[in-house]
Amino acid sequence: AVPAAAPSGRPAPGGTLRIARPPASEAETLDPASALSAYEYLGALYNRLVRIGPDGNLAPDLAESWEPDDRARTWTFRLRRGVAFHDGRPFTAADAAYTLRHILDAATASPQAAVLAPLVDPKTLRTPDPHTLVVPLKTANAEFPSLLTHYNCYVVPDGSARSIGRTGIGTGPFKLSSFTSAGPGRVTAYEDHWAGRPVLDAIDFYSVADMQARSNALLAGQVDLLSQTNLDFATARVVAASDRATIARAKDAQWYVLPMLTTEKPFTDVRVRQAMKLAYDPEHVLKVALQGAGTAGWDNPVPPIDPNHIAAHPVHDPEQARHLLKRAGHEWLAVDLYTSSYDPIFTPMALAYQESAARAGIRIRVKTAAADSYYTQIWMKKPLMATYWFTGRPIDQLLNQVFRGGSGYNETAWSDPAFDALLDRARAETDDARRRELYGEAQTFVIEKGGAMTPMFADRLVGISRQVRGYAEHGFEFDYLGIGLKGA
């Protein structure tokens, strides 16, 4: 059996936590606005205005409260007092406004810009006093604060665009000691953090090439935590049976995807995309790839624990898939599906899909690519590949970031004006029940017309030292203030 939770108990003050993380590219940066990795550093160094709490709801961070006008066209954020950046500068509304302008600046190339730009004109931001930020919107959005919970929205100091990628100066519980792109680094406790000093003295980060090497380092006692690593079930059993390490489980913490690039043939044809979805059985993929440690996705990226989730979906139908492919002129379709050892679930998922889709006459050729270049050479470049996302995003953020036309994270390049208009109607709807209905329609749109196959949600099986205490994960990060090590 694999444990359901990390070891309990309170950590002792002090100590250094050692984290092994996957490799990143030489372009890795600590600028939150443009970062595509370095998640562990960002969570330690920075705060947002608004965050996602352990219950999945919005919670205060650098903003103590926020409220819209009666049309949800203007949002006012009341900011926390007594907060200082790591260099001693006080945090004010000017920093909050600058952070939004930095994200929206085309020179920043922030993936979040495509989500915020349709809503926010940086010239209209107002700071009536040092502790108030007013954000007028171009169009009504009852969910706007949720869009600020993304890791690209960590707050940086006013005027720091040229240096923040190296300095990492934020308001978070740790300050930067060293950082090497795609290499090791270290953060140390920030004594004057507004929410109190963290339990740990420091965190050391190591970039380790593949999952097996990270697991071996954990079993050897060389590291304490495997970050961004969802262990396969067999490895998780080995880790849990060891004297030094065990498993922490995060329920439905990741959703796994087989994105079809809708700008590349044959996936430009919606009939082919529908056939690819009908051809396979998500329950089969879940059983083979995860040994059942998760939930079948049925091509809906909104997790079952989200109150907006709809359970309705088309059923597995290989014969209907064959019919659609014949109509589209792609009978006996053969396509390459790219995977890698970057994540241990990618290849089992790809092979399970290959086996299941064969019943519809679809021939899948599984291609293995290098892990260290997977997200620069394969992701959003090959017509069909494997990837994953962390859950914990509010539904408006999820649908707009990953599926709205033109978004930097739209990995299928799917663009449908009717879908985007539906998202706009949902955002503008101030009646909660009606807004949920509209988001339900949006999910049906994604399932039936979009390019993303979502076979499953996975319980993330996190390798962790038996000495770690206070590990509590939600969204795609843990509690940097409370995590620590067992005392002597």
Side-chain angles (χ1 to χ4, degrees), residues 405-464:
S407 169
Y409 278 135
N410 186 338
E411 62 188 356
T412 65
W414 178 53
S415 182
D416 191 314
F419 174 76
D420 293 349
L422 178 59
L423 292 183
D424 290 337
R425 291 201 303 275
R427 287 175 149 184
E429 179 56 65
T430 56
D431 180 84
D432 291 346
R434 177 56 183 152
R435 191 163 67 252
R436 281 195 297 272
E437 291 177 2
L438 292 172
Y439 283 132
E441 294 177 26
Q443 290 168 70
T444 299
F445 222 121
V446 169
I447 293 168
E448 294 182 351
K449 296 186 178 182
M453 294 183 284
T454 303
M456 60 199 179
F457 294 88
D459 296 350
R460 185 157 62 253
L461 304 179
V462 181
I464 192 169

Side-chain angles (χ1 to χ4, degrees), residues 206-366:
Y206 302 95
S207 181
V208 182
D210 57 56
M211 185 273 289
Q212 192 58 55
R214 292 193 287 276
S215 299
N216 289 341
L218 178 67
L219 291 171
Q222 296 167 343
V223 298
D224 305 304
L225 175 64
L226 306 186
S227 177
Q228 298 185 57
T229 304
N230 186 14
L231 298 176
D232 63 79
F233 212 75
T235 303
R237 284 199 295 263
V238 172
V239 170
S242 73
D243 293 332
R244 285 189 169 129
T246 185
I247 296 295
R249 186 190 295 245
K251 177 67 176 173
D252 288 347
Q254 294 178 202
W255 92 80
Y256 280 88
V257 193
L258 298 171
M260 297 173 280
L261 198 56
T262 61
T263 54
E264 297 289 333
K265 293 181 179 181
F267 304 126
T268 53
D269 193 323
V270 67
R271 294 170 297 184
V272 174
R273 302 197 298 267
Q274 291 170 341
M276 292 286 287
K277 295 177 181 181
L278 293 170
Y280 83 103
D281 182 2
E283 296 285 0
H284 172 75
V285 178
L286 173 68
K287 180 180 179 181
V288 172
L290 293 177
Q291 307 296 307
T295 305
W298 293 101
D299 300 322
N300 185 353
V302 178
I305 59 174
D306 191 304
N308 297 285
H309 171 84
I310 61 167
H313 57 77
V315 297
H316 170 51
D317 192 339
E319 290 306 314
Q320 177 64 8
R322 285 179 182 270
H323 175 68
L324 287 170
L325 288 174
K326 187 173 183 178
R327 286 179 54 199
H330 288 285
E331 194 173 13
W332 307 112
L333 178 67
V335 293
D336 294 336
L337 169 53
Y338 284 83
T339 181
S340 86
S341 61
Y342 183 94
D343 182 278
I345 306 302
F346 285 176
T347 297
M349 174 176 63
L351 294 173
Y353 179 86
Q354 176 192 57
E355 180 183 8
S356 189
R359 295 182 58 198
I362 298 174
R363 185 159 64 94
I364 300 294
R365 299 178 294 249
V366 177

Side-chain angles (χ1 to χ4, degrees), residues 6 29 68 83 118 131 156 224 229 244 250 287 297 334 478:
T29 176
V83 177
H131 305 291
V156 299
D224 305 304
T229 304
R244 285 189 169 129
K287 180 180 179 181
F478 54 85

Side-chain angles (χ1 to χ4, degrees), residues 18-249:
R18 301 162 299 170
I19 294 180
R21 53 194 296 267
S25 75
E26 293 293 336
E28 187 174 39
T29 176
L30 295 178
D31 182 352
S34 57
L36 291 174
S37 58
Y39 309 117
E40 305 87 351
Y41 286 92
L42 303 183
L45 296 172
Y46 302 104
N47 292 106
R48 308 170 179 88
L49 291 178
V50 182
R51 62 183 178 86
I52 298 292
D55 60 358
N57 294 316
L58 295 184
D61 206 0
L62 292 180
E64 291 186 313
S65 65
W66 49 91
E67 61 274 344
D69 62 6
D70 57 2
R71 295 185 303 157
R73 283 290 301 268
T74 298
W75 285 84
T76 300
F77 295 84
R78 310 294 180 186
L79 306 183
R80 196 177 297 277
R81 298 169 185 264
V83 177
F85 287 99
H86 300 150
D87 61 359
R89 291 172 49 185
F91 160 70
T92 69
D95 303 301
Y98 176 80
T99 296
L100 290 177
R101 294 189 184 106
H102 178 51
I103 293 169
L104 293 166
D105 186 345
T108 305
S110 174
Q112 189 73 353
V115 175
L116 296 181
L119 296 170
V120 181
D121 180 350
K123 297 178 182 178
T124 65
L125 298 175
R126 303 196 303 271
T127 54
D129 63 63
H131 305 291
T132 305
L133 171 68
V134 179
V135 184
L137 302 181
K138 299 176 185 178
T139 58
N141 191 327
E143 298 279 338
F144 175 69
S146 72
L147 300 180
L148 304 181
T149 64
H150 192 263
Y151 67 82
N152 287 139
C153 296
Y154 285 113
V155 174
V156 299
D158 188 3
S160 64
R162 293 186 177 182
S163 61
I164 193 64
R166 303 183 309 275
T167 65
I169 293 174
T171 62
F174 290 86
K175 59 183 180 180
L176 188 67
S177 177
S178 64
F179 170 71
T180 306
S181 297
R186 180 179 175 87
V187 295
T188 57
Y190 180 42
E191 301 287 344
D192 297 324
H193 182 58
W194 56 269
R197 186 194 190 280
V199 170
L200 290 166
D201 287 334
I203 302 175
D204 287 337
F205 299 104
Y206 302 95
S207 181
V208 182
D210 57 56
M211 185 273 289
Q212 192 58 55
R214 292 193 287 276
S215 299
N216 289 341
L218 178 67
L219 291 171
Q222 296 167 343
V223 298
D224 305 304
L225 175 64
L226 306 186
S227 177
Q228 298 185 57
T229 304
N230 186 14
L231 298 176
D232 63 79
F233 212 75
T235 303
R237 284 199 295 263
V238 172
V239 170
S242 73
D243 293 332
R244 285 189 169 129
T246 185
I247 296 295
R249 186 190 295 245

